[in-house]
Amino acid sequence: MDIRTQKTFEALFALEDIRETLRQRLPNTTSPEEENTIKENVNRVRKILDDIENNTGTPEIRKIADNIDIRSREETHINIQPIQAAGRLTPEARKALIAYGDGYSTCDACRKPFRLDKISSPPIAPFHEQLASFVNMDVARVVPGARRGFQAVTSSLVNKGDSVIVSALAHYTEFLAVEGAGGIVREVPLNEHNIVTADATAEKIEAVKQETGKLPVLVMIDHFDYQYANEHDVKGIAKVAHQYDIPFLYNGAYTVGVRPVDGKDIGADFIVGSGHKSMASPAPSGVLATTEEWAPKIFRTTQMTGDLTKRKFGVKEVEMLGCTLMGSTLLGMMASFPTVKERVNNWEDELKKSNYLIDGLLAIEGSKVVSEYPRKHTLSKVDTIKSFDLIAQEHKRRGFFLSDELSSKGIVGEFAGATRVWKLNTYGLSWEKVRYVVDTFQEIAEKYNLQVNKEKNSND
């Protein structure tokens, strides 16, 4: 970690020490001892700020609570990790973490009817309305990650033995959600381009009907899958599902928050998004949105009564287990939301950067892109078996030579040791950083005598 980054963390920690003194004192009163402690820490901060300004000093804090490393990869590196790119927090979200880190901080002003989506201060209730509007659906809830969105829908719709249509590239959490509800997944096969089509979905529905004598109860398909980040025909698939009167769940884990998503235009009955994957939010966070038709079922309230106490909790939603995201997780999501709403309008530029980087890799002789090309997403899967892996076969560090070379240039996030087939994500990187990454890959290739066609990236 460079000294300026190190000292920035130390300054933040010193300010937290001052904050702790303020927390421990009597209201609006400080004792002489507390005043002393505050002054000592203020002097520490001043000294650290001088170090930051002058780029001087030595590390004084290397661990948090003695055993937790300081995470500084976003400050000191370019991170191309495939699942982290669109989850980087905004400055506003990081500030929300500081202010609302206490466990039940969202509940300070919780009043009747005592439910998360009804809290007005902080403005959680309006945020739920804005989320629904953001994806053009009628009702939305925040959930602890996309997986809990899948779970809420499957536990509402799927009974033991019911079939659920998923993609042959479906995420494991979709499988678990179906299994947890007692259902059975039925996978739609891919075409020769690793794409799920509407026709293939219709054929699978017919096959399930023929085999079981019943229609599937749900179709659940990713817009962009996590393995290739290929785009699947969700609009056509939604239309097919509705022709059979089957509800359609749109998995937007890699779209909601990075590109425009219009649920009504798609024909989705349910939209699931990932906050920590695509909405610049702390983990675990996500969104589940639905239509007026399905909201009463998915967000049903409890009807149970205690046999001894006769207690009722009718306002609590069963699939949400009453309340979902609390404290800094939710407030971080809310704080990032204005930026997220704006950034989806820049999707075309993000795609240009993605294709520029992929073209730069393809300029290295022997490299291939496994995902559909040109890229329609910033997440991509590449094949360097005939390029970087040839070097790995002879290098004393084997596949880790590439990680070593990239790290020495300040680039992290590729699968450590992988030189065959691996993934990367350019989302949120500036053009300056994208060009730097391309130049670095090509410089590494040339260092080890791989042929590079520089003309391929001559145009942005």
Side-chain angles (χ1 to χ4, degrees):
M1 191 190 315
D2 66 271
I3 194 62
R4 189 165 268 162
T5 300
Q6 170 74 32
K7 289 299 174 180
T8 298
F9 277 104
E10 289 181 10
L12 291 169
F13 298 160
L15 288 170
E16 280 297 322
D17 290 338
I18 295 173
R19 186 182 179 197
E20 180 60 20
T21 301
L22 297 176
R23 284 183 162 211
Q24 294 300 327
R25 66 178 180 164
L26 290 173
N28 301 314
T29 305
T30 49
S31 68
E33 293 80 8
E34 290 165 339
E35 285 289 352
N36 235 7
T37 302
I38 290 172
K39 286 178 181 177
E40 287 175 3
N41 280 305
V42 167
N43 288 332
R44 278 177 60 208
V45 173
R46 285 199 182 102
K47 182 179 181 304
I48 295 169
L49 292 178
D50 286 341
D51 283 336
I52 294 172
E53 183 178 16
N54 299 312
N55 200 20
T56 57
T58 56
E60 295 180 10
I61 300 174
R62 297 184 182 274
K63 301 278 185 180
I64 303 167
D66 295 331
N67 63 349
I68 302 172
D69 291 330
I70 297 171
R71 183 181 185 271
S72 62
R73 67 164 44 198
E74 304 299 343
E75 289 78 19
T76 57
H77 295 81
I78 297 173
N79 187 5
I80 58 173
Q81 220 285 343
I83 63 172
Q84 291 179 352
R88 292 187 193 97
L89 299 191
T90 61
E92 291 76 18
R94 297 198 298 273
K95 293 169 188 174
L97 289 183
I98 293 171
Y100 282 86
D102 297 310
Y104 274 100
S105 58
T106 47
C107 304
D108 292 338
C110 186
R111 305 288 185 268
K112 282 187 178 181
F114 303 114
R115 206 171 73 192
L116 183 76
D117 59 300
K118 303 297 184 183
I119 295 174
S120 58
S121 180
I124 298 171
F127 177 59
H128 281 76
E129 295 173 3
Q130 294 161 15
L131 277 176
S133 176
F134 180 57
V135 292
N136 195 19
M137 297 292 273
D138 299 321
V139 185
R141 296 286 185 270
V142 290
V143 289
R147 63 192 65 199
R148 290 294 296 274
F150 305 146
Q151 186 180 50
V153 175
T154 56
S155 64
S156 299
L157 303 185
V158 181
N159 294 311
K160 187 172 177 60
D162 285 341
S163 298
V164 175
I165 299 292
V166 301
S167 160
L169 296 172
H171 194 260
Y172 75 89
T173 55
E174 297 174 61
F175 274 65
L176 296 182
V178 174
E179 184 176 358
I184 301 168
V185 293
R186 307 285 185 161
E187 298 172 284
V188 181
L190 311 173
N191 67 11
E192 66 275 16
H193 304 295
N194 292 321
I195 301 292
V196 178
T197 66
D199 286 345
T201 304
E203 290 172 10
K204 189 67 178 187
I205 291 171
E206 284 290 346
V208 170
K209 181 182 176 183
Q210 192 87 12
E211 178 188 339
T212 67
K214 297 191 305 181
L215 286 170
V217 298
L218 178 67
V219 174
M220 178 162 50
I221 301 291
D222 314 2
H223 191 166
F224 287 85
D225 65 89
Y226 78 103
Q227 296 190 47
Y228 300 99
N230 288 346
E231 184 173 23
H232 306 286
D233 183 16
V234 288
K235 195 169 181 179
I237 292 168
K239 185 176 180 180
V240 164
H242 291 156
Q243 287 171 346
Y244 286 92
D245 202 25
I246 303 171
F248 174 66
L249 187 154
Y250 168 95
N251 180 357
Y254 283 99
T255 53
V256 175
V258 297
R259 56 159 285 166
V261 172
D262 186 329
K264 297 288 177 66
D265 181 64
I266 293 165
D269 297 286
F270 315 103
I271 284 184
V272 171
S274 172
H276 53 262
K277 194 169 285 180
S278 299
M279 299 179 73
S281 303
S285 57
V287 58
L288 167 61
T290 188
T291 61
E292 288 180 346
E293 175 189 359
W294 287 103
K297 190 172 183 69
I298 303 301
F299 302 129
R300 65 192 173 102
T301 55
T302 177
Q303 302 300 307
M304 190 172 289
T305 302
D307 66 330
L308 294 178
T309 63
K310 306 304 178 186
R311 290 181 301 163
K312 298 179 180 179
F313 305 97
V315 73
K316 302 296 187 183
E317 294 172 339
V318 176
E319 310 310 331
M320 301 294 105
L321 288 178
C323 294
T324 53
L325 301 187
M326 306 165 200
S328 58
T329 306
L330 174 56
L331 268 294
M333 190 180 191
M334 291 170 59
S336 280
F337 193 56
T339 299
V340 167
K341 284 193 296 183
E342 182 62 31
R343 77 183 190 180
V344 298
N345 299 317
N346 302 324
W347 182 240
E348 291 305 316
D349 192 51
E350 294 291 348
L351 291 184
K352 287 178 183 176
K353 288 184 280 188
S354 177
N355 277 294
Y356 181 88
L357 187 141
I358 292 300
D359 285 345
L361 282 173
L362 293 178
I364 300 169
E365 184 181 10
S367 296
K368 300 176 183 177
V369 58
V370 181
S371 307
E372 60 184 336
Y373 177 79
R375 295 300 300 121
K376 297 179 182 179
H377 203 282
T378 59
L379 171 64
S380 300
K381 193 171 192 175
V382 296
D383 177 340
T384 55
I385 293 172
K386 296 291 181 65
S387 56
F388 292 122
D389 194 57
L390 295 179
I391 301 166
Q393 301 306 314
E394 305 296 327
H395 201 283
K396 63 181 180 181
R397 288 279 290 157
R398 307 297 288 175
F400 289 96
F401 95 90
L402 182 58
S403 301
D404 295 342
E405 294 281 0
L406 290 172
S407 181
S408 71
K409 294 289 189 176
I411 299 170
V412 296
E414 86 298 342
F415 289 114
T419 50
R420 295 177 64 79
V421 180
W422 48 285
K423 294 184 286 187
L424 72 161
N425 197 336
T426 61
Y427 189 81
L429 298 184
S430 65
W431 270 107
E432 182 182 23
K433 287 186 175 182
V434 170
R435 292 189 182 98
Y436 179 86
V437 172
V438 169
D439 290 345
T440 300
F441 273 112
Q442 293 184 353
E443 287 167 9
I444 294 169
E446 290 176 330
K447 176 179 178 179
Y448 290 95
N449 300 316
L450 294 177
Q451 188 69 34
V452 178
N453 176 13
K454 290 293 182 78
E455 296 300 312
K456 193 155 183 69
N457 269 87
S458 58
N459 296 313
D460 292 353

